[in-house]
Amino acid sequence: MTAFSAAAKPRIAVLEVELNDATLQANTPAEQQRTASMRRLLERALAQSGQYEMIAIDVADQAAANAGFGYLFAHDDAAAELGRQFGADWVLVGQHGKPSFLYSHLKIHVIQVKSRTLAARYSIELKGNNSIVTQRSVNKLAAKIQAFIAGKIAMPE
């Protein structure tokens, strides 16, 4: 009998993305729905590679760990603790900022659970607000995150 040890797949938890809408007509149902789709899109893009085990963290558990808007985004240790509770190696915390009707930006913090620190930070501008723009932007972020976790690129500046 031959014994072998397969390396475990990195376990990634993607949290719900928070909307920071500063437009005159802020937090419309359409923009809330678009922002809510970003988590699913990012999870799907990362899962497609087959390189990761996706860890589900319920919205209620995320809300319980969140002391207020932006708390988990700003407190890497709290996001890491939430990830640790669910067995994740990495936690992705996101904010969707919308300063204008013309564009928005999606920021993702990649938190390493073991060290309880921000390992990488990514931001991408979304020009327009349709689903194709959102999907394309999330896919670009997912590719960068995959390359970072695989050790192919260093932490971005």
Side-chain angles (χ1 to χ4, degrees), residues 9-149:
K9 293 179 182 181
R11 297 167 53 98
I12 300 175
V14 180
L15 300 183
E16 289 291 328
V17 176
E18 293 179 312
L19 174 59
N20 186 8
D21 192 341
T23 60
L24 291 175
Q25 196 173 16
N27 298 316
T28 64
E31 200 58 53
Q32 290 175 357
Q33 183 178 13
R34 176 181 178 215
T35 301
S37 75
M38 292 176 178
R39 175 186 185 176
R40 291 186 311 279
L41 293 172
L42 186 54
E43 286 174 330
R44 193 175 315 134
L46 291 169
Q48 282 178 347
S49 72
Q51 298 174 2
Y52 309 105
E53 181 180 343
M54 302 309 296
I55 303 299
I57 296 179
D58 188 80
V59 176
D61 291 316
Q62 180 178 339
N66 200 357
F69 180 83
Y71 183 81
L72 292 173
F73 191 77
H75 293 87
D76 307 329
D77 57 336
E81 177 56 27
L82 179 60
R84 185 197 63 73
Q85 292 173 12
F86 288 86
D89 300 311
W90 302 91
V91 177
L92 306 184
V93 186
Q95 275 193 357
H96 178 214
K98 188 173 179 189
S100 158
F101 290 109
L102 302 175
Y103 73 96
S104 63
H105 48 85
L106 176 59
K107 296 178 185 178
I108 299 291
H109 285 181
V110 180
I111 309 298
Q112 185 180 48
V113 172
K114 186 175 181 178
S115 66
R116 299 172 58 93
T117 60
L118 174 66
R121 163 188 1 222
Y122 293 97
S123 180
I124 193 161
E125 187 172 280
L126 293 83
K127 293 183 180 177
N129 58 8
N130 64 52
S131 61
I132 294 170
V133 167
T134 304
Q135 179 71 64
R136 189 176 308 135
S137 298
V138 169
N139 287 346
K140 286 179 184 178
L141 278 176
K144 290 177 181 183
I145 292 166
Q146 287 173 330
F148 172 77
I149 291 175

